[in-house]
Amino acid sequence: MSDRRDIELIAELVPEGSRVLDLGCGDGELLAHLRDARRCTGYGVEIADANVLACEKRGVNVIQLNLEEGLALFEDQSFDVVLQLDTLQHLRNTETMLRETARVGRTGIVSFPNFAHWPNRLHVAAGRMPVTRVLPYQWYDTPNIRVGTYADFEVLARKDGLRILDAFGIQQGRVVRRWPNLLASVAVFKFERSA
Amino acid sequence: MADIGDVAPQSMQFAAPLPLASGAQLRDYTLIYETYGTLAADRANAVLVCHALNASHHAAGTHAGEPRSEGWWDNLIGPGKPLDTDRFFVIAVNNPGSCFGSTGPMHPNPDPAAHGRPYGADFPVVTVEDWVDAQARLVDALGIERLAAVIGGSLGGMQALSWSLRYPARIGHCIAIATAPNLSAQNIAFNEVARRAIITDPDFHGGHYYAHGVVPRRGLRVARMIGHITYLSDDAMEAKFGREMRAGSLGYTTQDIEFQIEAYLRHQGDKFSEYFDANTYLLITRALDYFDPARAHGGDLTSTFAAARCRFLLASFTTDWRFAPARSREIVKALVDNRLDVSYAEIDAPHGHDAFLLDDPRYHGVLRARFERIAREVGRA
């Protein structure tokens, strides 16, 4: 997700001037982009020391927290947008975090590697776990402890009472709206809590 | 990175009485301070450093002719250091009530009834807010309207927080490290044990021991020993001392030193009792106990920080059990609730509370990045 073009595609989902919380904000590149290009304000949350330092160097607000400990620091609906990009698949409490995202933000945006992208399917059909550009790890050393698909997320969103506002895939810097579960390596969902 | 070299303390007298939170006034007082670096022509590059319980205005550099006289934050402040004196004008001031030169219990009480005797126990109880007001007057006298930043650790961090609330328009950044929004019952309990050790020392004489030509050294030693335990983490103490014994075999004695940790604590207590004033220890621990800016807001830290306007940087250390990370997170939450700019680093350092005085590269890296940003803001990049 660090690809510049991917960041811009996702930034376009964030309204100008939004109050933003970026969970697992990495080195703060997206937050800096949202601040500079879309007048957004807010905070990033990160656990890694190097990323906290990188955010501080960019002048991006960053709060060092372990997301597995939840979002008790943040009040209900206190952000216009809560972003969780390329983060969900690293968390043990995926569903809890998704609910927390919807609690804290008026809208949520998540992205994650789409396990059902066709090359992955071929790998699995051939009897092996996929190792690709988006999923570059071996099964035994991957930080992606939750592997899900575009279609799986639609099911989970329904179960957790999330209304999907927009959804698409990204493949090599391009938006994929036709058969994203098959044709995109990255899944993107924008959602809100159903009333 | 270079060192500052020799520095000389300066003093400033204040004729106007300082109104204190207690309702009392501090009359005819003097503040001792040091400065490092050069104040820019536009006076925008000043950074105030606030000291904690045991420290003073001597934050950086050395005192001429005194070996090993580096200031208590010399690893942070200096040319090319994170708080870079090539860019910033750094002010470190000794708080009133201290025993390092600013008006305190060892100084003559101006009350005519005292006949020129030292204040002793009659020195008025001072609070963090009183100190911040005194610091603001010094900053005024130096011709500085707005501080680029106020920084402090522990009790110094409380002063930095208090600046953000009392003088919101006068500071650009508040940097509060290893601190808390108030003391817990356990924190107060440790302070009270320390105070009882001093007050029950037969040499204390109700705080007027100067007249008796004695110092309640036993009490001060025990107070320091207790304090020191709370500055270190369990792990750090285990790594440094473990169960190491002074002699190779058990001496079967209850009163002599057997374990190295005992020798260490006694040594720390002895050293401390040579230079620290007992009345000051009582005053400063009480200022710690009293600090609770949310008290005036029904305990609501969020509404407390509604007054703040500056940007914040908070840092805590995972092994600090005196002011644990959870206490810093309370402050972060209040700042986030108020939509204030805040960054928070939770440093996984093994040293406990004392880590704020050490130079862990992650900790100093974040401080350096923040000061570089502040330097850009005030045109000193």
Side-chain angles (χ1 to χ4, degrees), chain B residues 226-247:
Chain B
I226 291 160
H228 217 90
I229 296 168
T230 70
Y231 305 149
L232 299 179
S233 69
D234 192 13
D235 286 348
M237 224 185 239
E238 191 61 28
K240 198 165 176 184
F241 304 103
R243 294 184 52 82
E244 195 187 332
M245 305 202 61
R246 205 171 215 198

Side-chain angles (χ1 to χ4, degrees), chain B residues 140-169:
Chain B
D140 287 339
L142 294 172
I144 296 159
E145 174 56 35
R146 190 169 190 269
L147 294 162
V150 178
I151 181 172
S154 190
L155 175 58
M158 293 173 175
Q159 292 159 56
L161 292 173
S162 184
W163 262 93
S164 78
L165 300 173
R166 288 180 89 71
Y167 301 100

Side-chain angles (χ1 to χ4, degrees), chain A residues 27 79 141 151 158 166:
Chain A
D27 62 9
F79 290 89
D141 67 2
R158 209 174 304 129
D166 195 2

Side-chain angles (χ1 to χ4, degrees), chain A residues 114-180:
Chain A
N114 174 31
F115 196 70
H117 187 214
W118 65 267
N120 301 338
R121 298 187 191 200
L122 288 184
H123 274 94
V124 174
R128 298 290 305 276
M129 286 296 279
V131 179
T132 63
R133 193 178 68 88
V134 173
L135 294 169
Y137 306 97
Q138 294 290 344
W139 67 275
Y140 50 81
D141 67 2
T142 178
N144 301 320
I145 58 174
R146 302 291 182 196
V147 282
T149 71
Y150 186 101
D152 286 334
F153 190 88
E154 291 177 316
V155 174
L156 178 62
R158 209 174 304 129
K159 172 176 174 284
D160 284 346
L162 305 178
R163 178 165 49 225
I164 293 171
L165 303 170
D166 195 2
F168 54 84
I170 298 179
Q171 179 57 31
Q172 295 190 326
R174 278 211 180 83
V175 170
V176 179
R177 290 190 179 273
R178 190 165 180 244
W179 299 332

Side-chain angles (χ1 to χ4, degrees), chain B residues 297-380:
Chain B
H297 298 264
D300 182 348
L301 206 56
T302 294
S303 60
T304 304
F305 276 96
R309 294 288 173 271
C310 67
R311 293 176 162 146
F312 289 82
L313 173 64
L314 276 83
S316 72
F317 303 95
T318 50
T319 54
D320 182 354
W321 56 278
R322 183 184 172 95
F323 293 144
R327 303 309 319 273
S328 283
R329 279 189 227 134
E330 290 176 39
I331 302 165
V332 172
K333 180 173 190 315
L335 299 174
V336 168
D337 286 347
N338 282 293
R339 303 182 152 222
L340 290 159
D341 278 318
V342 55
S343 282
Y344 169 58
E346 198 167 291
I347 313 286
D348 188 12
H351 315 97
H353 188 59
D354 262 356
F356 88 87
L357 295 169
L358 305 176
D359 61 354
D360 182 288
R362 293 161 295 181
Y363 164 46
H364 271 199
V366 168
L367 287 182
R368 179 181 291 278
R370 176 58 62 116
F371 279 114
E372 282 171 357
R373 172 178 166 189
I374 299 170
R376 287 194 294 275
E377 288 171 6
V378 299
R380 299 284 290 181

